[in-house]
Structure formats: C-alpha cells, structure tokens
Amino acid sequence: MVKLPEWRGKDVFRKYGLPTPKGQVVKSADEVEGAIRSGAVPLPCVVKAQVLAGGRGKGGAVRFANTVEEARAATTAILGLEFKGERVREVLLEEKLSIGRELYLALALDRTARQPILMTSSSGGVEIESVADDAIDRQPIHPFPGLVAYQRRRAARSLRLDGDLAKQLDRLLGSLWKAWEGEDAELVEINPLGVVGDRLVALDAKVIVEDDAAFRHPEYAEVRDDRTPLEEIAREEEIAFVQLDGTIGVIANGAGLTMATLDVLKELGGDPGVFLDLGGTDDPKKVAQAFLLMAKAKPRAVFLNIFGGVTRCDTVAKGLIEAREAIPEGERFPLVARIRGNREKEGVELLRGAGVTSVPDLRASAEAVIAAAGARR
Amino acid sequence: MSVLVDRGTRVVVQGITGHQGTVHTRQMREFGTQVVAGVTPGKGGTRVEEVPVFDSVRDAVSATGANASCIFVPAPFAKDALLEAVDAGIRLAVIVTEHIPFHDMLVMYHYARERGTRIIGPNCPGIASPGGSKVGIIPNVVFRPGRVGVISRSGTLTYEIVNGIKEHGLGQSTCIGLGGDPVVGTSFVDALPLFESDPDTDLLVLVGEIGGTAEEEAAEYIRRSFSKPVVAYIAGRSAPPGKRMGHAGAIISRGKGTADSKVAALEGAGARVARFPYEVPLMVAELAAARVRA
C-alpha cells in the first residue's frame, strides 16, 4: 500500500482530467515568491502541509495567506511542524476558492462482493467515519462494463446535483473510474469535492496505490510509505518485517504462523517486539539477512518458529548459524528455536552442534523465550 | 466422496518448467494426484517429471482430458494464465502465485465465475484430500485420511494445525487453503456448503486471521445453515490496529475485521474458538470422541 501525498494525488487527478485548484508544491519558503509571481498560485491562497495523516485543518497544518509575505511566513511555520509524528517536508500552495457545498466521493474495494464500490455522500468535508451509514450511498460496480451511465446519474441524485453540475459530475466520475483502473488504486477519495460557483473542484485528493501492481508503476518506486528505516530495509530485501513496541523478536515462516506466534507470546505474558515473516524461502543467505536485520532491531531475545513444509529445516538452520557468526559479539541475543517438519532431524542436529536447542512444543518454547527476555509480567 | 477434488481429478500444471512448478509436480504425484499435463508457452513437446508439456492449456486439455489447473505462473502473467485455463474448459483452478494485483484478480474472479470455473487462491497453498488428490503445495507429510474438514486463510499455520490433528491420531477429509489476499476466488462462505454436504466430513476446523470480514460472514452462515461442529482459531489477536485501512475501507467494514469481532461472531454461532493454535487438535479430538460416544 502506497499512500500518495495530496499534491501527488492531484497530479494523478489532472492526468485523468479531474478538476483541481491551481497550485504548486514547494519544499522551502524561498520557492514561495516564484510560485506566486509566475501565476501558478493565485492570491489569496491556502498553505497546506503535505502529510499523510488526516485532521490537518484543526491541527494548524493548513493556513491562509493574502500576500506573498503571509504565504512565506505560513510556509516557514508549517515546514517546521511535526504533524502526528510526521515531519513536514513539503507544502502545497493553492488558490483559495469560495466553496459552496462540500461533497464526498470515493472508489474503494469491497472484498466481500469482490467488486469496486462507489461511495457518495452529500456530507463531505468531514472524516467519513463520522458520517451516518444512511447518509452514504454505495454502488457496487462490475469490473467489465465499469462505472456505467445509470450509476453516474444515481450518484448525481445522491449528491443532489442537477443541470450542468450533474453533467460535470458525469464526466468527473468517468475520469475517476479511469484513474482507479489506470493507477491500480486501492482507494481514490475526494473529500471534499467542492461546489465552487458553477463548478465542481476536487479540493483534496487521497490516492492509495497497490504494492502488488508496482511492476506496472515504476513512477511510484520512490514514494515512501510510513515505514521505519528498518522496515524500509526489509522491504528492499523482500522480508515481511513489522516493528512493534515489545522486547521479543519473532522469526517465523508464513504470515499466519508469525501472527499466531506473536499471539501465543502475548497470551503467555510475553511482549513481542518484531514480526519477521521469512515467507516461503529457505535460502540460507536470506535467513542470514533476516537475522542480521533482527539484530539491528535490538531484541532482548529471539524466537525462531519454523514449520517446514516446502521450506527445509536444515537449510534454515544453516542460515541461522551463518548469521549468528556474522553478528558482532555485543549485539548477540538469546535464541529459542522451534523447528518442525521437512528435514526436522537434520535441522535440529545442526542447531545442537551450534549450541541451540530446538524445543518442539510451542507452549514450552514460547515460555522459554519469555524467560530469556525477562519480560514476564 | 470429498470436496472438489478426488481420484478423478486430472491436473494440468501451468508454469511446470519453473522451479516451484517442477518441485510441486513431483510432490503432487507422490501424494497420488493424477498430474496429466504441464503448460509453458514455447516448451511444448518436452517432459517434466515424466509429465508431457504443452504450449497451451487448450492443447493440454484436448490431449489429456485435464479438468483442473494448478497455476505457478509469475504474477504479471497470472491473469492471462487463468483466462486461458477458463477458456480451455478447466473447472477448478488453484492459483499458488502470490502478489497478483487485486485489480487483475477482480477480472479473473468475475470472468471465471461467469463461465463456471471455481478459483481457489491466489496466494494459497491449495486443496488436498488424503487418499484422493492434492492440487497445490500443502506438504504431503501433514496428512492422514480421516473425517475432519479444514478451511484456512493461512499457509504454514494450516500445516501446523493439520499436522497437530494427525499427531492426535485423527485425519482429514479435505483441507482447503483459501489464500490471504484481499480478493480470493473461494471464501469461507463459498467453501462451507461444500463441507456441509460432504458425507466424509464430520467436523470442521476454520482457521482465520484479522482483516476483512470473511470470518464474520462465515459465522453468520454457520449459525444459519451449518450443522456440523466447528473448531476455529483466529490469528492476529495481539496485532496492533492495522495501518492498512484507508478511510473508505474502514467504513465498509465499520467495527468489524478485528480479532475480537471475529471470535465473538464465531462463538455466537456455536463454534469453539481456540485461544492457542495447539488447542485446536485437542478440541477436535474431544469433539470426535464425543461423536463416537453418541
């Protein structure tokens, strides 16, 4: 999942012909004057922090400016902000429009129906979670014909738009559907869609694109998500790695088994700190990389829980031994292993040779690692 | 009788010449599956693990009568592979490939459904019925013929639990790994009626995980229309609230998708929900013993 910042979402909108305010993104206050003098940003303007969290208006991350000087000052102030844990590095300057009504419009995935769903509400401009269910109209869309004319008419009625505004909405929805498909989006959301005089304008843009479609979208390669630096390294090495707050690192294979291992530790009073899913690999090099990554997260103890189906226990053990030797003396951590399944005997033997005992019982091994981490509460 | 696969299942392996395709062709054959053909465009006329390879699914079907496909084709080409299988008349397609964009899967799902092909997966371990047939990658060693049905969204966790059932002296009728992707061809609700009407299944194990509402929907189905005992386990109880949900996603599933909601729904439907994965086989053994006494 890659969330695009607002300005980038609006670039996507423009690419598909969706109406957006005039504006420009800047990275420093020195760029403000040029942006205004060139006509890219008409005055008065809105100055908006480019962060992924919502609630910017209330949080002082959106300001208004009537002059170049005010725009400069607002930009300087916002660039210094840390908004909900995120440093503001970019600011979007946009023309200030006088907005009539604020509407809500989104395309998302309905996993149950296995269809995209178009959601519309005339209560836009607030967080959609706070809008009553019956104030949101939902229309499932079949992927083959796509978003068809009668559905666009129904959307216009639900937004109480008629005449030329209804015609504009019809075109806008056609573009929105193309953006949904063309960008491999998980979500395209316009909140609010403003009625500005006789025009519809996308005042905000939330676009989330799918990770699995990255092979079709090299243009998003550098858009970073809200990952920690270690999570970013893991992503490059194609290891599933999530940092939590606790002290015990978990290395397992398969997302379900890794999650279940965390659950067992927590239920028994332990405090899991890192989720590392090796996936289907048993390449000793990759196992070694995973251990080195784990060492960087500085866990107090590590639990290796492998069920070998396709994965071979002996090759996992080889990788582990290799990695332990590569970890500097001061960064080594107590390790409890539980390796079962394909080539279990060979793997257990190899580990024993390296001084690691494999405990076959899940509860007993989980309790051993909790004791090793000293995290029992 | 079993669910979806049996001794009559004739499998074509799409992507048979790749590493995974070859390894699992061998393991499926060792399980007892009739692997009758492989397909890799451009490699027709060769053999892998004694299985003849064809250039197209159509050629494979007309030469061998294949009726099921196991797809290992890389994600960028998986959509094409599935559409080809559907058009060649394949009725059951197990997609092992992971990282298929869900936009592709939406097209695959609706295309297959409208032409009467069932998809299992993607990103799934497949389906196996011990003593019958296996289409997919679930390790052979965890199985033993028996009367416990298993449906799961996980891979390795399923192997762990199925293996536990075996270690408690019981066996499985059919085990289906549905896959962990947001859009899957067969969901719990799609699979439950198959086990309800399967005379070889006495009780069912359901392994779910956090995210989405598939378990809540399964619970609703179980409450209304499923007569056999159910033991469930939900992975992810300790996971912090996900970063994965965008606003719009959150309103579709409003208040659902958490482990608590799934556990409550399943318990409300009369299922026994295990707190630990290793409790599942114990509960299954208890229920099986109670059934024998009754």
Side-chain angles (χ1 to χ4, degrees), chain A residues 1 3 54 104 106-117 119 127-133 136 138 141-144 180-181 183-187 189 191 206 208 210-213 215-216 226-228 231 242-244 253-257 259-268 272 279-280 305-310 338 340-342 361-363, chain B residues 20 23-24 27 75-77 79 83 98-115 137-139 141-142 153-161 163-164 167 180-188 190 209-214 217 233-240 243-252 254 275-279:
Chain A
M1 168 170 109
K3 284 186 211 164
Y104 177 88
L107 280 166
L109 171 68
D110 181 340
R111 294 162 63 141
T112 303
R114 289 111 155 171
Q115 286 187 324
I117 183 165
M119 292 186 285
E127 293 211 0
I128 193 65
E129 284 88 342
S130 65
V131 176
D133 259 341
I136 304 167
R138 294 172 172 77
I141 299 162
H142 194 289
F144 298 151
W180 162 263
E181 288 205 308
E183 301 300 306
D184 279 296
E186 281 185 28
L187 175 70
E189 184 183 70
N191 187 22
K206 185 164 178 187
I208 301 179
E210 199 199 356
D211 272 341
D212 285 341
F215 65 89
R216 292 198 276 251
D226 43 3
R227 296 182 183 89
T228 66
E231 286 173 356
V242 181
Q243 273 183 290
L244 310 168
N253 59 334
L257 184 62
M259 269 195 275
T261 308
L262 259 59
D263 293 350
V264 169
L265 287 172
K266 192 107 178 179
E267 291 270 345
L268 296 176
N305 187 13
I306 298 295
F307 193 94
V310 185
R338 172 179 182 266
R340 306 215 52 199
N342 188 7
D361 182 71
L362 179 54
R363 184 175 188 129
Chain B
Q20 274 222 329
V23 167
H24 291 292
Q27 293 191 2
F77 316 107
K79 180 171 97 179
L83 300 182
E98 56 180 336
H99 298 305
I100 297 175
F102 80 77
H103 279 265
D104 289 2
M105 188 51 204
L106 288 175
V107 171
M108 292 153 77
Y109 172 76
H110 289 280
Y111 193 86
R113 198 170 92 124
E114 280 152 31
R115 282 163 176 74
I137 64 169
I138 311 177
V141 294
V142 300
R153 277 169 73 193
S154 306
T156 327
L157 180 59
T158 316
Y159 312 162
E160 174 91 40
I161 287 173
N163 194 55
E167 287 181 339
D181 279 8
V183 179
V184 289
T186 300
S187 66
F188 286 128
D190 300 325
E209 53 186 59
I210 50 167
T213 55
E217 286 143 23
Y233 175 75
I234 303 294
R237 282 187 175 198
S238 67
K243 311 170 185 175
R244 282 206 67 91
M245 291 222 171
H247 283 191
I251 64 162
I252 293 171
R254 203 168 263 198
R275 218 154 54 94
F276 296 100
Y278 44 77
E279 287 175 348

Side-chain angles (χ1 to χ4, degrees), chain A residues 184-224:
Chain A
D184 279 296
E186 281 185 28
L187 175 70
V188 283
E189 184 183 70
I190 308 178
N191 187 22
L193 174 70
V195 180
V196 178
D198 58 0
R199 289 189 300 139
L200 292 177
V201 181
L203 298 174
D204 198 353
K206 185 164 178 187
V207 178
I208 301 179
V209 294
E210 199 199 356
D211 272 341
D212 285 341
F215 65 89
R216 292 198 276 251
H217 299 281
E219 69 274 22
Y220 296 131
E222 92 291 5
V223 184
R224 294 167 69 97

Side-chain angles (χ1 to χ4, degrees), chain A residues 275-287:
Chain A
F275 168 112
L276 195 157
D277 169 16
L278 282 174
T281 188
D282 59 359
D283 176 357
K285 283 213 179 74
K286 195 125 182 201
V287 176

Side-chain angles (χ1 to χ4, degrees), chain A residues 48-69:
Chain A
K48 300 162 99 178
Q50 296 300 285
V51 286
L52 298 173
R56 289 177 299 177
K58 283 180 223 153
V62 176
R63 299 181 190 210
F64 298 96
N66 291 308
T67 63
V68 172
E69 290 67 34

